[in-house]
Amino acid sequence: MEAPLSLLEHYKTKQPVTCGHVGALTKEETDKLRQLWQLVIDEFDRTDSEPLRVLFRLSDSDALYEDDGLTSLSFEPLVPLSSKDRAQSESATPESELQSESAMQSESTTPNGTPLSNRIARAGSGLLGWMSSGRSTPASTSPDDDAAAQQRRRESVQDHVQRTQHHTTPLVPAPFVPLFKQPEQTRTFRSAFWQAATQTRNADSWVLRFLRARKWDVCAAFAMLRKTLEWRAGQALDEIMFYGESQLHMHTMKSGLAFACTRDRLNNPVFVIRVRVNMARERSIAAIKRFLCWQIETSQLLASGVDGRVTLVFDMSGFTRDNIDLQLVRTLITLLTNYYPETLGVMLIYVNSLLFSGLWALIAPFIDPNVKAKIILARNASGLVPFIDRKCLPVELGGSKAFKYEYVVPEINENSCMGDVKARGVVERTFGDAVDAYERATRTWLTSKSDDVSVDAGHERDSAREAVCKAFDALDPYVRARTLYHRLESI
């Protein structure tokens, strides 16, 4: 048996990473997939299961720019994002407090079990103690500041469009309604599962991510999958994607903090993160969390043909002390490690800075080994070229691709179909029927013998999966606001 290729060898030979993925599973891996699916189906069938609670809703937030003052960045489902939710948590029942404590204890940990946020916060008083390891620096309130300019720095995309185009029409012309007729404050495990699993166009691909992340330990993979769904429901990701850019921070979108602009040698979409434009004082951590979640969720549309994997390029050129933001770093690490496993293809850090070397020494020990193995430090364009062809690399990164980021604001009527309740009802029923058929096919597949190829069950399931994809494509414009990448015709 040939040894598996290294990450660099995959890029040199342009051979996609297929080990443990759909179409390249061993018999043992297929059995593990079956076992995990059985646990998922069993959870669907439970009648005593507690619903997943929604703890943050955009409509409950006092303001997009609100400084929520949270000391924990674990991004757990029981850690609310708004001060209104926090006030509710403080007056919670003893049972809720116990649940919150349990969620906090399950935060990302270092190899010796110490919570990640605690270790980084303590480290902030050491090697790089002059950096802020707590709250983002608030925007300046100097009397010399122009009040209107301050307000513009804080406005959402919706506010910006209304102010500059003198339109009062909402960019999303309908109130949010969850899929599967779920109540606004809870989601079932099943509804949360299908809202997430359809992002990759193949539910098997999404489920396999958790098995690979947990080294094929079925029980650990299911625990991770369930916790991810609790988090997704708790943070109301379906609502965030419904309103899309309209409720994101306009200054962050315009600055080009993060954007997709090309593809790597394995055809993964490449997202560039320009650290030099990040100023923590210009937005709240709640806003940046929302922005990062929106970008990662949107990346799955761009990466649907490559099993949902994306490449990140951290452009550290022009990086200064003012750009250091441990909250952003901790948030991104937690997202990739805990809630979007196996989404990262490779992370390229484009840097030649002694300042970053100190920062890297601080955060490297806290990064999950699976994520850390995909991080490459590149001091110049030559370090990026093995992963991204020079002709596909933007000029600002030393390549030859002419690309200049410019944020194109949403058009007033681009989401008009979201207001057509009757049309949405039709396509949503079709989607629900397709999901039901896929579940039935999966149950048949699970009951077939492991040593039996079960061609009929496999074909039935493949056909059902294709029907789910088709139905989801029809439903998507009604439940997800169009994105920058739709306007740029990248999707």
Side-chain angles (χ1 to χ4, degrees):
M1 180 177 179
E2 294 184 4
L5 297 177
S6 67
L7 183 62
L8 183 57
E9 287 172 336
H10 275 288
Y11 277 90
K12 284 182 177 178
T13 59
K14 295 187 177 182
Q15 294 186 41
V17 179
T18 58
C19 183
H21 291 72
V22 171
L25 297 178
T26 65
K27 181 181 182 301
E28 182 180 2
E29 290 168 346
T30 300
D31 289 342
K32 297 285 188 180
L33 177 62
R34 285 173 179 261
Q35 293 170 34
L36 183 51
W37 262 111
Q38 187 63 64
L39 292 177
V40 169
I41 294 294
D42 290 345
E43 189 68 21
F44 287 172
D45 293 340
R46 284 185 59 185
T47 58
D48 60 344
S49 181
E50 289 290 326
L52 311 181
R53 294 187 295 132
V54 176
L55 296 179
F56 170 73
R57 297 192 61 228
L58 290 175
S59 56
D60 293 335
S61 180
D62 294 334
L64 176 66
Y65 189 80
E66 179 183 6
D67 187 353
D68 54 30
L70 295 176
T71 57
S72 171
L73 295 176
S74 64
F75 228 64
E76 294 291 345
L78 299 181
V79 178
L81 295 183
S82 72
S83 61
K84 186 175 295 185
D85 287 321
R86 186 174 68 256
Q88 293 171 354
S89 293
E90 290 171 352
S91 61
T93 63
E95 180 181 359
S96 298
E97 290 171 358
L98 288 173
Q99 290 174 336
S100 296
E101 181 179 354
S102 174
M104 289 296 294
Q105 289 174 347
S106 64
E107 180 189 350
S108 298
T109 59
T110 61
N112 66 5
T114 304
L116 176 60
S117 59
N118 293 350
R119 288 291 299 275
I120 294 183
R122 289 202 298 269
S125 62
L127 176 63
L128 297 177
W130 45 267
M131 294 188 299
S132 168
S133 60
R135 297 168 60 164
S136 299
T137 305
S140 172
T141 56
S142 167
D144 296 332
D145 278 4
D146 179 77
Q150 287 188 46
Q151 185 59 38
R152 287 194 293 273
R153 284 200 299 269
R154 300 180 179 198
E155 67 186 357
S156 68
V157 172
Q158 174 72 66
D159 295 335
H160 173 81
V161 170
Q162 290 183 342
R163 177 178 61 81
T164 58
Q165 300 185 23
H166 308 291
H167 277 285
T168 58
T169 304
L171 292 173
V172 177
F176 169 70
V177 177
L179 284 177
F180 301 106
K181 298 180 180 180
Q182 295 289 293
E184 292 184 350
Q185 297 300 334
T186 61
R187 306 285 186 272
T188 63
F189 177 90
R190 180 178 182 269
S191 67
F193 175 90
W194 286 112
Q195 192 275 334
T198 49
Q199 303 292 320
T200 61
R201 305 186 66 78
N202 189 334
D204 280 350
S205 295
W206 193 73
V207 170
L208 282 166
R209 292 179 179 183
F210 297 93
L211 281 169
R212 294 196 302 271
R214 288 297 176 259
K215 301 187 183 302
W216 302 91
D217 182 326
V218 175
C219 292
F222 180 72
M224 186 184 193
L225 184 153
R226 181 176 180 82
K227 193 155 194 65
T228 294
L229 295 182
E230 291 174 352
W231 169 77
R232 292 180 67 91
Q235 302 297 342
L237 281 197
D238 50 356
E239 184 176 4
I240 289 176
M241 299 311 296
F242 182 85
Y243 288 108
E245 293 165 42
S246 70
Q247 297 302 316
L248 297 182
H249 186 210
M250 177 63 190
H251 182 78
T252 300
M253 295 299 296
K254 186 177 180 180
S255 69
L257 171 61
F259 53 88
C261 62
T262 188
R263 291 188 177 268
D264 67 14
R265 292 183 181 273
L266 298 183
N267 202 39
N268 299 325
V270 174
F271 280 75
V272 175
I273 300 173
R274 298 193 295 186
V275 180
R276 65 181 177 275
V277 306
N278 178 57
M279 296 289 184
R281 63 179 178 270
E282 294 180 346
R283 45 91 189 128
S284 71
I285 191 59
I288 203 63
K289 285 177 176 178
R290 199 172 304 149
F291 172 76
L292 289 174
C293 288
W294 176 83
Q295 286 281 11
I296 296 175
E297 289 286 306
T298 303
S299 76
Q300 299 304 284
L301 296 177
L302 295 165
S304 61
V306 287
D307 205 14
R309 291 184 297 275
V310 300
T311 287
L312 301 182
V313 176
F314 274 79
D315 179 8
M316 308 293 288
S317 59
F319 172 70
T320 70
R321 175 173 171 170
D322 288 337
N323 304 125
I324 295 174
D325 187 350
L326 289 183
Q327 289 186 319
L328 186 151
V329 173
R330 280 150 49 185
T331 297
L332 185 58
I333 289 174
T334 303
L335 285 173
L336 292 174
T337 302
N338 292 358
Y339 305 118
Y340 292 95
E342 296 293 308
T343 298
L344 179 66
V346 64
M347 181 186 295
L348 305 171
I349 302 180
Y350 182 56
V351 62
N352 188 5
S353 165
L354 292 177
L355 178 59
F356 175 78
S357 298
L359 179 62
W360 178 249
L362 175 63
I363 65 176
F366 309 129
I367 301 176
D368 180 90
N370 290 331
V371 174
K372 193 173 180 179
K374 300 176 182 179
I375 297 178
I376 308 294
L377 300 183
R379 294 190 175 276
N380 48 47
S382 297
L384 300 176
V385 168
F387 304 92
I388 306 172
D389 194 294
R390 191 177 293 273
K391 67 182 180 183
C392 298
L393 194 63
V395 171
E396 67 178 77
L397 295 176
S400 58
K401 179 177 180 176
F403 177 86
K404 181 180 180 181
Y405 176 81
E406 182 177 354
Y407 179 56
V408 181
V409 299
E411 298 177 6
I412 295 298
N413 297 317
E414 70 179 21
N415 297 308
S416 59
C417 71
M418 298 179 78
D420 191 336
V421 178
K422 183 177 180 180
R424 170 178 165 162
V426 172
V427 295
E428 187 169 348
R429 284 192 295 274
T430 301
F431 177 70
D433 291 343
V435 166
D436 290 344
Y438 187 83
E439 285 185 17
R440 289 194 298 271
T442 298
R443 292 172 190 271
T444 300
W445 174 64
L446 291 174
T447 56
S448 62
K449 295 181 180 179
S450 297
D451 58 354
D452 181 7
V453 177
S454 189
V455 175
D456 291 339
H459 285 173
E460 178 188 0
R461 195 162 178 263
D462 288 343
S463 298
R465 176 181 59 79
E466 292 174 4
V468 169
C469 290
K470 184 177 179 180
F472 179 76
D473 288 343
L475 176 63
D476 191 63
Y478 296 91
V479 297
R480 185 205 311 259
R482 301 301 84 185
T483 72
L484 168 65
Y485 305 110
H486 288 94
R487 295 190 288 280
L488 296 178
E489 298 183 349
S490 299
I491 299 175

